[in-house]
Amino acid sequence: MLEELKQKVYEANMLLPKYGLITFTWGNVSGIDREQGLFVIKPSGVEYDKLQVKDMVVVDLKGQVVEGMLNPSSDTQTHLKLYQSFPEIGGVVHTHSHWATIFAQAGHDVQAYGTTQADYFCGAVPCTRDMTEIEIENEYEYNTGEVIVERFVDLNPNHMPGVLVKNHGPFTWGKDPLLAVHNAVVLEEIAMMAFHTEIITGNERAMPKFLLEKHFMRKHGPNAYYGQK
Amino acid sequence: MLEELKQKVYEANMLLPKYGLITFTWGNVSGIDREQGLFVIKPSGVEYDKLQVKDMVVVDLKGQVVEGMLNPSSDTQTHLKLYQSFPEIGGVVHTHSHWATIFAQAGHDVQAYGTTQADYFCGAVPCTRDMTEIEIENEYEYNTGEVIVERFVDLNPNHMPGVLVKNHGPFTWGKDPLLAVHNAVVLEEIAMMAFHTEIITGNERAMPKFLLEKHFMRKHGPNAYYGQK
Amino acid sequence: MLEELKQKVYEANMLLPKYGLITFTWGNVSGIDREQGLFVIKPSGVEYDKLQVKDMVVVDLKGQVVEGMLNPSSDTQTHLKLYQSFPEIGGVVHTHSHWATIFAQAGHDVQAYGTTQADYFCGAVPCTRDMTEIEIENEYEYNTGEVIVERFVDLNPNHMPGVLVKNHGPFTWGKDPLLAVHNAVVLEEIAMMAFHTEIITGNERAMPKFLLEKHFMRKHGPNAYYGQK
Amino acid sequence: MLEELKQKVYEANMLLPKYGLITFTWGNVSGIDREQGLFVIKPSGVEYDKLQVKDMVVVDLKGQVVEGMLNPSSDTQTHLKLYQSFPEIGGVVHTHSHWATIFAQAGHDVQAYGTTQADYFCGAVPCTRDMTEIEIENEYEYNTGEVIVERFVDLNPNHMPGVLVKNHGPFTWGKDPLLAVHNAVVLEEIAMMAFHTEIITGNERAMPKFLLEKHFMRKHGPNAYYGQK
């Protein structure tokens, strides 16, 4: 069942330790098959150096496990909500990578200071609001997805492929699991650089909007000219 | 004598350089056999790349060496005091890992800013008070244990598996030597992130208590649902 | 065509990941053959672990591709402008290396605080001005070269082999592609140290000018005595 | 000639890249044979991955090369001055390691904040004064040694095995070249931690003197009890 997708999701998960984005089991990647309405996700709490393709868990869009011997990631309901609300995304990543988590802990957007960010994120990477005690007590993980979606009411998830969950850490996404990991790596880099940019300037003055859009569009716009055809 | 425990303690010690927690010989791990009332600890000042299982030293709960050709760690009396006072712990770790030591040098608790910390430490990781000149002159290492225990008068060592000794560095513990090392790794990560969270926000406002407890309990409470059964 | 130069440019490009200066494809090196009026540059968006010598693209001094199956780097026009305006340089490097990029994002020169910088850069490494909306909309990459050259009106590119492009990142150069990479490594190191020097002192007081010049000249002056003959 | 010492000095030099203390050729180690009045030092500007035992240069206590095909390190005169003035030292190291150099650039002593420092350096690691234009113009490298020695007028080089040369970087020493490298590693670690300790506390309040001396003496005093006999 979904063997090809399981392989992709497994490989995308294994990139998290490769890129230094996780410690122990603090992260997970999923990928969705939109036609079948099923997504594949890492099992909960399994060490990366013991993880195998066959451990991947298949979940339907009601959040029920359809196949797999292990419990799915404890963050499964958050992934589910993102797939439900953002119809064009094909993969989701969650990590506790250092610099993105620092901004999440600070409740602080990652302001856009340079073209590195503009090449992937068309603006400041947003941070969610505090969750209420009720949201945390019941269906906490699904509600985590809800506050993310609420934050995107005026944002396009295809132009802003990531978010910081307050006092928690980053989620990123993309057209497939690999691109979602790619965006997780970029978010960590730009958060590291944004932190130090703010410290040295003492302010949060973003880059000019036309420079931001120029860079995003030369890579992602209809007339993109970065890279090969 | 205690061959299995010696092997475990040796392996736990060897994880310290693997996780980048030590330079030269600045750290040690011990593990206890509660039934026999004996603990096993790294010898003092032996380089990690020359350390062998047979070098491990066996010590009784009066602090006397029972077996071993080498001197036990100079911190043995501190480990002893922790085993005496915290009856449920099975392993103890001491390091001079960078970020935890920075907080120890600053005499500053590691405030809880995010779920990474909440998943392991149910609150701020405490720092001990200054030791007096008398406490330092006589039985310094045992007294180091004393000030740790004093700091835990209102804290549960099973919910708070670590401490910062002022102007010195961290001690962590756990049900066994491996989990004690695990907590040493986590403490280093959360200290690094707490440092930068405070710098960027300019305050020490902790995360909401119900979010902290939700995360600690979903991993360690009676109805824990993180990971596999 | 230019097989030897292609090999050199390829090898210089492969040093960028080796020295930790790039993530993904965020950087490029070129080298010029002044006699033939042609330069060789990395293709756009090609991953470093798949890059081959034969992928290198040959470009003339009007910016036209003369040989190569792939699109040249999107920054080709910036390299072109630098070769046109700085007649003694033989290689150019662009990266988004962390610390140099932080200064670029801050719009902040890298002040000279120590002999590490003085050994390679005879003064503060300059940052360019904001580009106008018109400069960004049309011929953006060539205009990036223009603002660099404008910034060097009173600077000698042979004594100052690098620049920060505001809200973007560093460019460095040298007599050949290898020395240009060498300078990119140095710029990253000195930016890291300058950042923390400013934070700890709270000011931007540069080193004494005669110490700066002593070090630059003992390595690069007519009576240089550093290294072997 | 001095083959054993050359081997030791070579090996000590090769530890600099191993411990991440240098970039390119920015560092050197020497060792002295007090009976013969000769010291062995790295040649100037030779890359570490090409360095061989036979490249080591032998210098006498007037600073004249006695044996060797290559120029000795450009810092040879500084090493010479240290050997002349500190009669008990057997090895000297110079690097531009990041954190020690940051303090040197800031003209800032590394205050003693914790036992990590106290285990090796009995107090704050001192920084030298500005050198005058005359000291820099003539016999600059020998004068660098002079200002170090001047800074030690009230300090014991056996209890304080290192110094920061203002706007330049650290020198460390020890009973032999290996211990000098050991102290260079420690200095880098404690500088990193001191930096962040000062930033988070906002002050430079040192650790209590009796804790400092307790730690230094339990490792280096007449009744030392750290390590094995």
Side-chain angles (χ1 to χ4, degrees):
Chain A
M1 193 174 189
L2 298 173
E3 295 309 316
E4 203 178 323
L5 183 58
K6 279 184 199 163
Q7 180 68 35
K8 271 189 196 169
V9 170
Y10 166 77
E11 287 172 11
N13 269 288
M14 295 310 290
L15 290 176
L16 299 186
K18 183 188 158 185
Y19 283 115
L21 296 181
I22 54 159
T23 301
F24 299 127
T25 61
W26 307 346
N28 42 71
V29 184
S30 69
I32 193 166
D33 181 320
R34 289 279 177 189
E35 286 191 15
Q36 299 201 38
L38 297 171
F39 65 98
V40 170
I41 192 164
K42 182 183 175 291
S44 181
V46 175
E47 298 282 342
Y48 275 91
D49 55 6
K50 292 176 186 156
L51 195 64
Q52 301 186 49
V53 177
K54 69 179 175 59
D55 297 335
M56 300 296 113
V57 185
V58 181
V59 182
D60 68 20
L61 284 176
K62 292 172 192 152
Q64 299 301 310
V65 171
V66 172
E67 191 198 65
M69 305 293 290
L70 299 167
N71 296 336
S73 164
S74 58
D75 301 305
T76 298
Q77 296 291 317
T78 314
H79 290 241
L80 172 66
K81 178 65 191 171
L82 295 177
Y83 287 126
Q84 288 172 341
S85 301
F86 299 160
E88 293 181 50
I89 68 176
V92 172
V93 174
H94 173 51
T95 78
H96 289 218
S97 66
H98 289 167
W99 294 100
T101 301
I102 286 161
F103 277 85
Q105 293 190 160
H108 198 88
D109 297 354
V110 182
Q111 195 53 268
Y113 293 117
T115 62
T116 321
Q117 182 156 339
D119 281 340
Y120 297 87
F121 296 87
C122 197
V125 181
C127 186
T128 61
R129 64 163 168 84
D130 281 317
M131 292 174 76
T132 66
E133 189 159 0
I134 289 168
E135 285 169 336
I136 288 170
E137 291 305 323
N138 298 293
E139 304 205 40
Y140 165 58
E141 290 82 6
Y142 190 80
N143 290 334
T144 299
E146 291 271 19
V147 296
I148 294 173
V149 171
E150 180 189 315
R151 186 69 179 80
F152 272 70
V153 61
D154 292 325
L155 290 169
N156 176 347
N158 305 316
H159 287 192
M160 182 49 59
V163 72
L164 307 170
V165 175
K166 191 164 178 197
N167 295 122
H168 191 153
F171 283 81
T172 58
W173 47 81
K175 283 191 181 159
D176 62 42
L178 222 74
L179 287 168
V181 172
H182 200 102
N183 288 329
V185 174
V186 176
L187 177 53
E188 182 63 6
E189 300 272 312
I190 60 178
M192 185 275 181
M193 296 198 293
F195 180 92
H196 294 94
T197 302
E198 285 185 21
I199 294 294
I200 200 90
T201 60
N203 66 51
E204 299 177 38
R205 200 172 305 131
M207 67 197 296
K209 196 157 186 292
F210 43 83
L211 179 58
L212 176 82
E213 289 175 351
K214 169 72 181 181
H215 266 260
F216 190 80
M217 289 304 166
R218 84 174 187 174
K219 260 190 125 155
H220 306 281
N223 302 312
Y225 59 90
Y226 181 92
Q228 306 301 324
K229 298 264 160 49
Chain B
M1 192 174 189
L2 297 174
E3 295 308 317
E4 203 177 321
L5 183 59
K6 278 184 201 165
Q7 180 69 33
K8 271 188 197 168
V9 170
Y10 166 76
E11 286 173 11
N13 269 287
M14 295 310 290
L15 290 176
L16 299 186
K18 182 188 160 186
Y19 283 115
L21 297 181
I22 54 160
T23 301
F24 299 127
T25 61
W26 307 346
N28 43 72
V29 185
S30 69
I32 194 166
D33 180 320
R34 288 279 176 189
E35 286 190 17
Q36 300 201 38
L38 298 171
F39 66 99
V40 170
I41 192 164
K42 182 182 176 290
S44 181
V46 175
E47 298 282 341
Y48 275 91
D49 55 6
K50 291 177 188 156
L51 194 65
Q52 302 186 48
V53 178
K54 70 178 175 59
D55 298 335
M56 300 296 113
V57 185
V58 181
V59 182
D60 68 20
L61 285 177
K62 291 172 194 152
Q64 300 301 310
V65 171
V66 172
E67 192 197 64
M69 305 294 289
L70 299 168
N71 296 336
S73 164
S74 58
D75 301 304
T76 298
Q77 296 291 318
T78 314
H79 290 241
L80 172 65
K81 178 64 190 172
L82 295 177
Y83 286 127
Q84 289 171 341
S85 301
F86 299 160
E88 293 180 51
I89 68 174
V92 172
V93 174
H94 173 51
T95 77
H96 289 217
S97 67
H98 289 166
W99 294 101
T101 300
I102 286 161
F103 277 85
Q105 292 190 161
H108 198 88
D109 297 354
V110 181
Q111 195 52 268
Y113 294 118
T115 63
T116 321
Q117 183 157 339
D119 281 340
Y120 297 87
F121 296 85
C122 197
V125 181
C127 185
T128 61
R129 64 164 168 81
D130 281 316
M131 291 174 77
T132 65
E133 189 158 0
I134 289 167
E135 285 169 334
I136 289 170
E137 290 306 324
N138 298 292
E139 304 205 40
Y140 165 57
E141 291 82 6
Y142 191 79
N143 290 334
T144 300
E146 291 271 19
V147 296
I148 294 173
V149 171
E150 180 189 315
R151 186 68 179 80
F152 272 69
V153 61
D154 292 324
L155 290 169
N156 178 346
N158 305 316
H159 287 193
M160 181 50 59
V163 71
L164 307 170
V165 175
K166 192 165 177 195
N167 296 122
H168 191 155
F171 283 81
T172 58
W173 47 82
K175 283 192 182 157
D176 61 41
L178 222 73
L179 288 167
V181 172
H182 200 102
N183 288 329
V185 174
V186 176
L187 178 53
E188 182 64 5
E189 300 271 314
I190 61 178
M192 184 274 181
M193 296 198 292
F195 180 92
H196 293 94
T197 301
E198 285 186 22
I199 294 294
I200 200 92
T201 60
N203 66 51
E204 299 177 39
R205 200 172 305 131
M207 67 196 297
K209 196 159 187 291
F210 41 84
L211 179 60
L212 176 82
E213 289 175 353
K214 169 72 181 181
H215 266 261
F216 190 80
M217 289 304 165
R218 83 173 188 174
K219 262 191 122 157
H220 305 281
N223 302 311
Y225 59 90
Y226 181 92
Q228 307 300 325
K229 299 263 160 50
Chain C
M1 193 175 191
L2 299 172
E3 295 309 317
E4 203 177 322
L5 183 58
K6 279 184 199 165
Q7 180 69 34
K8 272 189 195 167
V9 170
Y10 166 77
E11 287 173 9
N13 269 288
M14 295 310 290
L15 290 176
L16 299 186
K18 182 187 160 186
Y19 283 115
L21 297 181
I22 54 158
T23 301
F24 299 126
T25 60
W26 308 345
N28 42 72
V29 184
S30 69
I32 193 166
D33 180 320
R34 289 279 177 192
E35 286 190 17
Q36 300 200 37
L38 297 171
F39 66 100
V40 169
I41 193 164
K42 181 182 175 291
S44 181
V46 175
E47 298 282 343
Y48 275 90
D49 55 7
K50 292 177 186 156
L51 194 65
Q52 301 185 48
V53 178
K54 70 180 176 56
D55 298 335
M56 299 297 112
V57 185
V58 182
V59 183
D60 67 22
L61 284 176
K62 291 170 194 154
Q64 300 302 309
V65 171
V66 171
E67 190 198 65
M69 305 293 289
L70 299 166
N71 296 336
S73 164
S74 57
D75 301 304
T76 298
Q77 296 290 318
T78 314
H79 291 241
L80 171 66
K81 178 65 190 170
L82 295 176
Y83 287 126
Q84 288 172 340
S85 301
F86 299 161
E88 293 181 50
I89 69 176
V92 172
V93 174
H94 173 51
T95 78
H96 290 218
S97 67
H98 290 166
W99 295 102
T101 301
I102 286 161
F103 277 85
Q105 292 190 160
H108 199 87
D109 296 354
V110 182
Q111 195 53 266
Y113 294 116
T115 62
T116 322
Q117 182 157 340
D119 282 339
Y120 296 88
F121 296 86
C122 197
V125 181
C127 185
T128 60
R129 65 163 168 82
D130 281 317
M131 292 174 75
T132 65
E133 189 159 1
I134 289 167
E135 285 168 336
I136 289 171
E137 291 306 323
N138 298 293
E139 304 205 39
Y140 166 57
E141 291 81 7
Y142 190 80
N143 289 334
T144 299
E146 291 271 19
V147 295
I148 294 173
V149 171
E150 179 190 315
R151 185 68 179 79
F152 273 69
V153 62
D154 291 325
L155 291 168
N156 177 346
N158 304 317
H159 287 193
M160 181 50 59
V163 72
L164 308 169
V165 175
K166 191 165 179 196
N167 296 121
H168 191 154
F171 282 80
T172 59
W173 47 82
K175 283 192 182 157
D176 62 43
L178 222 73
L179 287 168
V181 172
H182 200 102
N183 288 329
V185 174
V186 176
L187 177 53
E188 182 63 6
E189 300 272 313
I190 60 177
M192 184 274 181
M193 297 198 292
F195 181 91
H196 294 94
T197 301
E198 286 185 21
I199 294 294
I200 201 91
T201 60
N203 67 51
E204 299 177 39
R205 200 172 305 131
M207 67 196 297
K209 196 158 186 292
F210 41 85
L211 179 59
L212 176 83
E213 288 175 352
K214 169 72 180 181
H215 267 261
F216 190 80
M217 288 304 166
R218 84 174 187 173
K219 262 190 123 156
H220 306 281
N223 301 312
Y225 59 90
Y226 182 92
Q228 307 300 327
K229 300 263 160 53
Chain D
M1 191 175 191
L2 298 173
E3 295 308 316
E4 203 177 322
L5 183 59
K6 278 184 201 165
Q7 180 69 33
K8 272 189 197 168
V9 170
Y10 167 77
E11 287 172 11
N13 269 288
M14 295 310 289
L15 290 176
L16 299 186
K18 182 188 160 186
Y19 282 116
L21 297 180
I22 54 158
T23 301
F24 299 127
T25 61
W26 308 346
N28 43 71
V29 185
S30 69
I32 193 166
D33 181 319
R34 289 279 177 191
E35 285 191 17
Q36 299 200 39
L38 298 171
F39 65 101
V40 169
I41 193 164
K42 181 183 176 290
S44 181
V46 174
E47 299 281 342
Y48 275 91
D49 54 6
K50 291 176 187 156
L51 195 65
Q52 302 185 49
V53 178
K54 69 179 176 58
D55 297 335
M56 299 298 112
V57 185
V58 181
V59 183
D60 68 21
L61 285 176
K62 291 172 194 152
Q64 299 302 310
V65 171
V66 172
E67 190 198 65
M69 305 294 289
L70 299 167
N71 297 336
S73 164
S74 58
D75 301 303
T76 297
Q77 297 290 318
T78 313
H79 291 241
L80 172 66
K81 176 67 191 169
L82 294 177
Y83 287 126
Q84 289 172 342
S85 301
F86 299 161
E88 294 179 51
I89 69 176
V92 172
V93 174
H94 173 51
T95 77
H96 289 218
S97 67
H98 290 166
W99 294 101
T101 301
I102 286 162
F103 277 85
Q105 292 191 160
H108 198 88
D109 297 354
V110 182
Q111 194 53 267
Y113 294 116
T115 62
T116 321
Q117 182 157 339
D119 282 339
Y120 296 87
F121 295 86
C122 198
V125 181
C127 185
T128 61
R129 65 164 169 81
D130 281 317
M131 293 175 75
T132 65
E133 188 158 1
I134 289 167
E135 285 168 335
I136 289 170
E137 292 306 324
N138 298 292
E139 304 204 42
Y140 165 58
E141 291 83 6
Y142 191 79
N143 290 335
T144 299
E146 291 271 20
V147 296
I148 294 173
V149 172
E150 179 189 316
R151 186 68 179 78
F152 272 70
V153 62
D154 292 325
L155 289 168
N156 177 346
N158 304 317
H159 287 193
M160 182 49 60
V163 72
L164 307 170
V165 175
K166 191 165 179 196
N167 296 122
H168 191 155
F171 282 81
T172 58
W173 47 82
K175 283 192 181 159
D176 62 42
L178 223 71
L179 288 167
V181 172
H182 200 102
N183 289 330
V185 174
V186 176
L187 178 53
E188 182 63 6
E189 300 271 314
I190 60 178
M192 185 274 181
M193 296 198 292
F195 180 91
H196 294 94
T197 301
E198 285 186 21
I199 293 295
I200 200 91
T201 60
N203 67 51
E204 298 177 39
R205 201 172 304 131
M207 66 196 299
K209 195 158 187 292
F210 42 85
L211 179 59
L212 175 83
E213 288 174 353
K214 169 73 181 179
H215 266 261
F216 190 80
M217 288 304 166
R218 83 174 188 173
K219 263 191 121 156
H220 306 281
N223 301 312
Y225 58 91
Y226 182 93
Q228 306 300 326
K229 299 262 160 52

